[in-house]
């Protein structure tokens, strides 16, 4: 979205020279698809090198036992997931950027009308890419039920935080103007045109949710591990002794 915001005036110049919306959408969709593909490929290469580099980098005390090799299926899944995420995220701002009017060159950006939902074809492809990523992540996991529950929880949390953001914007818009100019500017910044409230609040909420979930899981595992330890531990162990000599 930030990348497309920097290209707003360039798109306005293209529109003023007669470029149709479809051509602009195709140009930037291809451009961002190549960027997502390159980033996914680079990530797959780095991830494929980790099994070869881990035994050399980590100290022997960790006793990392790996079998270095080229595993095609995991690498293909990683590249496919990266491409699907890139498409799901990029198509929305591309559709909004294609709506830029040539008159933007002659007035300030803040005077542009509010950008609503993207066009139907962009929204459909974005939803298909998002659903495809979720299905790919679920099918790639050994325990698909846990993966499905995780994906559903993330989607539900994101929807809940988005609803909270819309409620905050609606309440801020209906609040009476306070006498303090600073407080009035703060409240206006929550609902004015181009505000990031609907983006920042869900992202922060989802990030905190993940942190809390990880801390709870780590605490649960630690308590379970400590409770399973015997009160009196042997000082030495004997292994590979036949039962007849035990």
């Amino acid at each position: 979205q930030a990348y497309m915001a920097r290209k707003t005036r360039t798109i306005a110049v293209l529109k003023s020279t007669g470029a149709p919306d479809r051509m602009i959408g195709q140009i930037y969709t291809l451009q961002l698809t190549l960027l997502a593909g390159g980033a996914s490929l680079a990530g797959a290469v780095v991830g494929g090198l980790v099994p070869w580099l881990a035994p050399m980098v980590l100290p022997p005390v960790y006793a990392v036992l790996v079998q270095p090799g080229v595993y095609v299926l995991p690498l293909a899944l990683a590249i496919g997931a990266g491409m699907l995420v890139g498409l799901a995220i990029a198509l929305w701002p591309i559709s909004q950027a294609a709506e830029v009017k040539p008159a933007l060159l002659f007035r300030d950006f803040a005077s542009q009308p509010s950008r609503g939902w993207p066009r139907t074809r962009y929204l459909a492809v974005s939803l298909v890419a998002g659903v495809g990523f979720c299905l790919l992540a679920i099918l790639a996991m050994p325990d698909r039920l846990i993966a499905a529950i995780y994906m559903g929880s993330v989607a539900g949390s994101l929807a809940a935080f988005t609803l909270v953001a819309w409620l905050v914007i609606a309440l801020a818009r209906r609040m009476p103007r306070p006498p303090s100019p600073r407080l009035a500017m703060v409240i206006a910044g929550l609902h004015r045109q181009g505000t990031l409230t609907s983006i920042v609040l869900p992202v922060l909420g989802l990030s905190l949710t993940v942190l809390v979930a990880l801390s709870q899981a780590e605490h649960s595992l630690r308590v379970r591990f400590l409770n399973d330890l015997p009160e009196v531990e042997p000082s030495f162990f004997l292994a590979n002794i036949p039962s007849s000599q035990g």
Side-chain angles (χ1 to χ4, degrees):
Q1 188 171 6
Y3 175 79
M4 295 306 301
R6 293 195 299 269
K7 297 296 182 180
T8 301
R9 294 192 178 276
T10 302
I11 295 174
V13 172
L14 294 175
K15 296 287 284 290
S16 64
T17 57
D21 296 345
R22 181 181 294 272
M23 178 184 294
I24 293 176
Q26 291 174 351
I27 290 174
Y28 284 99
T29 299
L30 178 60
Q31 189 177 92
L32 292 179
T33 300
L34 292 176
L35 290 175
S40 301
L41 183 60
V45 171
V46 173
L49 292 177
V50 169
W52 302 84
L53 300 177
M56 297 183 293
V57 175
L58 296 178
V61 69
Y62 288 100
V64 179
L65 300 177
V66 295
Q67 295 181 353
V70 179
Y71 301 97
V72 178
L73 182 58
L75 294 177
L77 290 175
I79 295 175
M83 293 291 294
L84 290 174
V85 171
L87 285 176
I89 296 176
L91 288 178
W92 192 298
I94 287 175
S95 175
Q96 293 178 337
E99 302 292 335
V100 171
K101 305 299 182 182
L104 177 65
L105 296 173
F106 307 100
R107 58 186 181 183
D108 185 55
F109 178 76
S111 61
Q112 281 292 102
S114 178
R115 298 173 180 178
W117 289 82
R119 295 184 178 182
T120 305
R121 61 176 181 269
Y122 289 98
L123 182 61
V125 176
S126 181
L127 290 177
V128 169
V131 173
F133 167 74
C134 294
L135 292 177
L136 183 64
I138 293 173
L139 295 177
M141 293 295 103
D143 195 330
R144 296 176 181 175
L145 178 60
I146 295 179
I149 293 174
Y150 175 79
M151 288 295 177
S153 302
V154 171
S157 301
L158 185 60
F161 286 119
T162 302
L163 179 60
V164 171
W166 289 348
L167 291 177
V168 169
I169 294 174
L171 291 176
R173 186 177 291 116
R174 287 169 174 77
M175 287 183 63
R177 184 180 179 86
S180 174
R182 294 182 178 179
L183 185 58
M185 292 180 63
V186 171
I187 296 177
L190 294 175
H191 65 82
R192 68 168 181 255
Q193 180 181 347
T195 181
L196 297 178
T197 304
S198 59
I199 298 177
V200 174
L201 198 151
V203 170
L204 289 178
L206 192 60
S207 301
L208 291 176
T209 301
V210 173
L211 289 177
V212 172
L214 290 177
S215 63
Q216 293 292 330
E218 189 270 340
H219 178 72
S220 177
L221 290 175
R222 182 187 302 174
V223 171
R224 180 66 180 271
F225 178 75
L226 294 177
N227 290 338
D228 290 342
L229 290 177
E231 296 182 0
V232 179
E233 300 180 3
S235 58
F236 60 91
F237 299 88
L238 298 178
N240 295 329
I241 299 179
S243 59
S244 59
Q245 300 179 8

